[in-house]
Amino acid sequence: MLFKSGQIDRERIAGAIIIISLFMILLTVIGIQFLNVKVTNIELIDRGLYSVITEKGPVNIGKEDVLRIERTYTKAAMTGTQVELDKIYTTKGFIFISSLDPYYKNGKELINSVDFDGDKVWIHPSNGSAETSIEQRQNANLKLIQPFSYAIGTSTKLISLIFSVLSLQYLSLAIGGLALLILIFPLRLEGTLAVQSLVAKNPEYSNEDEQQLDAIAK
């Protein structure tokens, strides 16, 4: 009875933690969507200088501001045509553009102005010399762009709030995942000890009964 009661208590606690974690994840997702700043247009101002028009106003960026470019490819759900998704990290925040966007042509020109080879992941050349391995350059670049992992055009007053919401989301995912593991995979040690205790108290159990109890415990 004690083992069964303890198991129920563990399941209730884990279930409550999962529900709370899901609720916090939902709140953070809504918060991120609310704080996100969308790009409405990209215009070429001068040679190598572009103006990114956002909901909060224009932001001027040049080739020297680009830190990292990530390209991914997917297919549109309705037509099945290939869609290119590009994420451009700059010193003023990141830009997310799609080949379906009306301003994609100018965004593509900005990408091609620094990435001449069309790499899947382009890294700023200052992150390593020719002798530096690709993995070392990747790690150095990821550390460099981490402070700029917010949408371009975001107010400087909201940057710390965005990072706090993201940290809360990651924490909720970690705690909820741990609680889910505890709920799905309960400690088998307690079950084994309970079966051994029953067998020790009742030595008249036959080998067949013992095997059946072992099977139940597993």
Side-chain angles (χ1 to χ4, degrees):
M1 293 297 293
L2 290 177
F3 167 70
K4 186 176 181 181
S5 176
Q7 185 179 15
I8 294 175
D9 290 341
R10 184 173 63 242
E11 291 176 355
R12 287 179 178 176
I13 294 172
I17 293 175
I18 292 172
I19 293 174
I20 294 173
S21 299
L22 290 175
F23 179 72
M24 295 303 299
I25 292 171
L26 179 62
L27 285 182
T28 53
V29 169
I30 295 174
I32 292 172
Q33 289 295 325
F34 180 76
L35 296 171
N36 186 35
V37 179
K38 296 182 179 179
V39 175
T40 58
N41 197 11
I42 299 177
E43 299 177 353
L44 176 62
I45 299 177
D46 198 359
R47 186 176 181 179
L49 181 62
Y50 292 82
S51 178
V52 181
I53 312 299
T54 70
E55 296 174 330
K56 303 298 182 181
V59 180
N60 296 334
I61 59 172
K63 296 189 295 184
E64 65 280 359
D65 294 318
V66 181
L67 303 174
R68 180 186 178 96
I69 298 171
E70 298 177 357
R71 303 169 185 255
T72 56
Y73 299 90
T74 184
K75 290 186 177 181
M78 298 297 294
T79 61
T81 57
Q82 192 175 46
V83 179
E84 181 177 344
L85 306 175
D86 301 325
K87 198 171 186 179
I88 310 170
Y89 287 92
T90 72
T91 56
K92 300 175 182 180
F94 69 80
I95 310 166
F96 186 78
I97 60 175
S98 166
S99 56
L100 301 178
D101 294 328
Y103 50 84
Y104 181 72
K105 181 180 178 181
N106 289 337
K108 192 72 172 180
E109 290 178 359
L110 171 61
I111 293 175
N112 293 337
S113 66
V114 294
D115 180 15
F116 305 104
D117 299 326
D119 297 330
K120 186 176 181 180
V121 178
W122 178 86
I123 301 174
H124 197 283
S126 64
N127 286 333
S129 60
E131 294 80 11
T132 306
S133 66
I134 297 177
E135 185 178 355
Q136 289 174 333
R137 292 185 62 200
Q138 284 270 12
N139 293 334
N141 189 248
L142 289 173
K143 291 179 181 179
L144 177 64
I145 67 173
Q146 189 174 5
F148 308 105
S149 298
Y150 54 87
I152 193 169
T154 303
S155 173
T156 54
K157 298 179 181 178
L158 298 176
I159 293 175
S160 58
L161 177 61
I162 290 174
F163 284 123
S164 299
V165 172
L166 288 173
S167 299
L168 181 60
Q169 186 179 71
Y170 298 148
L171 181 62
S172 300
L173 284 170
I175 295 176
L178 181 60
L180 184 62
L181 287 176
I182 295 175
L183 183 63
I184 296 176
F185 303 105
L187 298 177
R188 297 178 60 186
L189 179 61
E190 295 183 3
T192 304
L193 291 175
V195 172
Q196 291 177 353
S197 177
L198 287 173
V199 174
K201 291 180 179 179
N202 300 275
E204 65 274 9
Y205 278 143
S206 62
N207 292 333
E208 183 178 354
D209 294 333
E210 185 175 351
Q211 290 176 359
Q212 291 178 354
L213 288 173
D214 289 339
I216 293 173
K218 293 179 180 179

